[in-house]
Amino acid sequence: MGENAATKNHHHHHQVFDISIDVLPHQNTSKCFDDDGRLKRTGTVWTASAHIITAVIGSGVLSLAWAIAQLGWIAGPAVMFLFSFVIYYTSSLLADCYRSGDPVSGKRNYTYMHAVRSNLGGVKFKVCGLIQYLNIFGVAIGYTIAASISMMAVKRSNCFHESGGKNPCHISSNPYMIMFGIAEIAFSQIPDFDQIWWLSIVAAVMSFTYSSIGLALGVAKVVAAGGFKGSLTGISIGTVTQTQKIWRSFQALGDIAFAYSYSIILIEIQDTLKSPPSESKTMKKATLVSIAVTTAFYILCGCMGYAAFGDLAPGNLLTGFGFYNPFWLLDIANVAIVVHLVGAYQVYCQPLFAFTEKWAAQKWPHSDFITKEIKIPIPGCSPYSLNLFRLVWRSAFVVATTVISMLLPFFNDVVGILGAFGFWPLTVYFPIEMYIVQKKIPKWSTRWICLQMLSVACLIISIAAAAGSIAGVVLDLKVYHPFKTSY
């Protein structure tokens, strides 16, 4: 699987070398370098919390009102709190796996896959890589669908406004997916996207913008209606059949899991932290802060959306046309979603791009097509490095995600499948297994049994969520014709 699966992440891992020098921190007299010979890390609790919140509060927040509508006032918030507790606990276990051996001076693992290789060995390392990269591919598809839906929503809200609500305004999503794909092909050609630090800031501002607008509109609708809608048990039988209710409840679990998933980049974020105190202590504090903030935000957004619409809560709060006015505010929110997703797509896909390019360079080191950098002068800027393999591979990747998105444009179902597929292995199984190895927990001890029970329970939830989401796709496909249907 290659030595360095995802080291080209979002910070300072673009050096030519990748050497860990195993010396104790107090032996290193340099003020400029850490104990592994790399430049001093400067991250704090607050920078790590900001990275996590940026990664977590994404388009998943928009499906939470629908998820709570399937589960009801009791189970909906309860499931959210349960997920937040499990994510916090397993993230704390994962934070202990950043260093192998001694928690203060052990060898650093720079990425999630490094940690798996150090603790669990080759086979599980390859399995982890496969799951991680499939998940990234799936996230790219989910983001393409979500961005096109938001672009269509801007067009539709203006069309509704102009016609006074008389025109149904059916629009095809395909041109918008193609537009998004073209933008991503252009952005993906920037070789070191990890250097564009402003991207995270823009993404964070945008995600808070559209989430806050969704929350504010939900509150306004509740106030205007003079009360809360919804029921204790969720969407009623009659509105949907008994079977649909079961499948949709399972799918709601996947949607909530997707909204919380960030374990995939936790080790990369931890690798930006300064020490002392130890990175794991700082990371645990950052995890607690960020999960508390996101859970409070999610509960507010999900519950207010459900309170506003009850059983009719749309799958995507800002584009499901629960709200029609003020149309200009909806347009701002949907433009913010698109801008956020353009950047988020790149941040998530960079590790996969970098891994494939590194693997190809190791496999064919003498190929000019793969390794040659062609310098193209740009007036007023430093020359652009064009690599033909990067151009072809990254463009092909974006085209593939765009075509699949056009074939399966079902936001909720795709979000549910992604949440279910990534949740158990990446958020629960690998952190628990690594922690057991790291702490040498004896087999069949009480602690070992409790950890395995947690893992099995989360596996069952993942399987149920995947089944519900796949059932949703099957139902949607019965009435959907690829490339023809307009919305």
Side-chain angles (χ1 to χ4, degrees):
M1 284 294 285
E3 184 72 359
N4 224 352
T7 28
K8 204 173 187 181
N9 55 42
H10 326 318
H11 300 287
H12 46 263
H13 298 153
H14 56 284
Q15 290 96 325
V16 179
F17 61 89
D18 183 12
I19 301 168
S20 294
I21 304 169
D22 291 325
V23 293
L24 294 175
H26 64 266
Q27 290 175 328
N28 194 345
T29 54
S30 170
K31 290 182 179 174
C32 300
F33 297 95
D34 270 329
D35 58 343
D36 60 345
R38 293 191 174 183
L39 284 173
K40 274 275 185 203
R41 293 157 173 83
T42 56
T44 63
V45 169
W46 303 113
T47 61
S49 300
H51 283 310
I52 296 170
I53 291 167
T54 302
V56 175
I57 298 183
S59 54
V61 70
L62 301 171
S63 65
L64 292 178
W66 181 89
I68 288 186
Q70 311 315 307
L71 299 168
W73 280 119
I74 297 173
V79 166
M80 270 198 197
F81 280 119
L82 184 68
F83 268 96
S84 65
F85 171 74
V86 169
I87 300 274
Y88 170 67
Y89 181 69
T90 57
S91 296
S92 297
L93 301 186
L94 189 55
D96 284 332
C97 300
Y98 171 64
R99 285 184 184 266
S100 297
D102 190 278
V104 176
S105 59
K107 183 177 178 293
R108 296 172 187 264
N109 296 305
Y110 300 119
T111 67
Y112 191 104
M113 285 182 66
H114 272 150
V116 173
R117 185 178 58 203
S118 298
N119 290 290
L120 302 177
V123 176
K124 286 184 179 175
F125 165 68
K126 291 181 179 180
V127 171
C128 170
L130 184 66
I131 294 168
Q132 191 174 355
Y133 293 138
L134 280 173
N135 210 40
I136 288 170
F137 186 71
V139 166
I141 293 166
Y143 283 177
T144 305
I145 295 168
S148 72
I149 289 171
S150 288
M151 287 189 267
M152 287 162 58
V154 172
K155 178 89 174 159
R156 284 184 72 187
S157 75
N158 293 331
C159 167
F160 272 118
H161 184 70
E162 284 161 15
S163 68
K166 291 173 185 155
N167 185 344
C169 301
H170 290 303
I171 308 167
S172 170
S173 62
N174 294 337
Y176 298 97
M177 289 192 187
I178 292 166
M179 280 165 58
F180 184 78
I182 291 168
E184 292 304 343
I185 286 174
F187 276 110
S188 69
Q189 297 314 313
I190 299 172
D192 283 317
F193 214 76
D194 45 315
Q195 291 303 295
I196 304 178
W197 53 268
W198 50 264
L199 187 73
S200 255
I201 295 170
V202 171
V205 170
M206 292 297 156
S207 59
F208 272 112
T209 301
Y210 63 72
S211 303
S212 302
I213 291 172
L215 174 59
L217 290 171
V219 171
K221 196 168 174 78
V222 169
V223 171
F228 282 33
K229 293 185 178 177
S231 64
L232 295 179
T233 54
I235 195 164
S236 49
I237 307 294
T239 311
V240 291
T241 64
Q242 180 83 48
T243 311
Q244 278 178 317
K245 166 86 174 169
I246 294 166
W247 287 131
R248 289 171 82 162
S249 296
F250 287 163
Q251 190 185 328
L253 296 176
D255 283 14
I256 294 170
F258 178 76
Y260 272 111
S261 60
Y262 75 95
S263 298
I264 196 168
I265 54 171
L266 183 138
I267 299 275
E268 282 87 337
I269 293 170
Q270 194 168 343
D271 192 40
T272 67
L273 298 175
K274 64 182 177 186
S275 63
S278 71
E279 298 87 355
S280 61
K281 275 187 184 171
T282 309
M283 196 66 201
K284 285 173 187 177
K285 282 183 191 167
T287 302
L288 184 61
V289 169
S290 49
I291 287 183
V293 170
T294 49
T295 301
F297 202 66
Y298 281 0
I299 291 281
L300 279 170
C301 284
C303 291
M304 277 303 164
Y306 183 40
F309 298 108
D311 285 358
L312 301 176
N316 183 321
L317 195 59
L318 292 171
T319 61
F321 288 87
F323 301 114
Y324 293 99
N325 284 302
F327 79 101
W328 57 269
L329 190 59
L330 282 174
D331 289 354
I332 290 170
N334 281 303
V335 168
I337 292 172
V338 175
V339 173
H340 174 231
L341 292 175
V342 166
Y345 184 105
Q346 290 300 325
V347 169
Y348 261 92
C349 293
Q350 275 302 313
L352 178 54
F353 290 161
F355 167 72
T356 306
E357 284 151 27
K358 177 156 185 164
W359 173 83
Q362 286 173 342
K363 187 94 172 163
W364 297 284
H366 305 298
S367 165
D368 282 353
F369 173 69
I370 289 169
T371 57
K372 190 175 181 183
E373 297 281 342
I374 303 162
K375 299 289 180 189
I376 299 173
I378 300 171
C381 299
S382 54
Y384 172 72
S385 290
L386 175 69
N387 176 286
L388 291 176
F389 176 68
R390 183 167 61 233
L391 177 69
V392 172
W393 141 242
R394 294 190 182 192
S395 301
F397 176 89
V398 176
V399 168
T401 58
T402 306
V403 170
I404 294 170
S405 304
M406 289 161 72
L407 288 167
L408 296 170
F410 317 122
F411 177 69
N412 271 74
D413 300 325
V414 169
V415 161
I417 289 170
L418 287 174
F421 181 69
F423 173 67
W424 178 71
L426 297 175
T427 305
V428 182
Y429 174 75
F430 284 119
I432 283 177
E433 291 299 309
M434 286 193 284
Y435 182 77
I436 287 170
V437 170
Q438 187 98 325
K439 299 295 181 189
K440 298 183 173 60
I441 297 169
K443 211 171 188 180
W444 304 112
S445 64
T446 308
R447 198 171 189 194
W448 186 89
I449 290 169
C450 290
L451 287 168
Q452 296 299 343
M453 283 168 65
L454 173 63
S455 184
V456 169
C458 291
L459 173 61
I460 292 165
I461 290 170
S462 275
I463 291 169
S469 300
I470 292 165
V473 169
V474 171
L475 288 172
D476 287 338
L477 285 173
K478 285 181 181 175
V479 293
Y480 172 73
H481 304 289
F483 304 119
K484 292 179 186 173
T485 305
S486 55
Y487 296 90

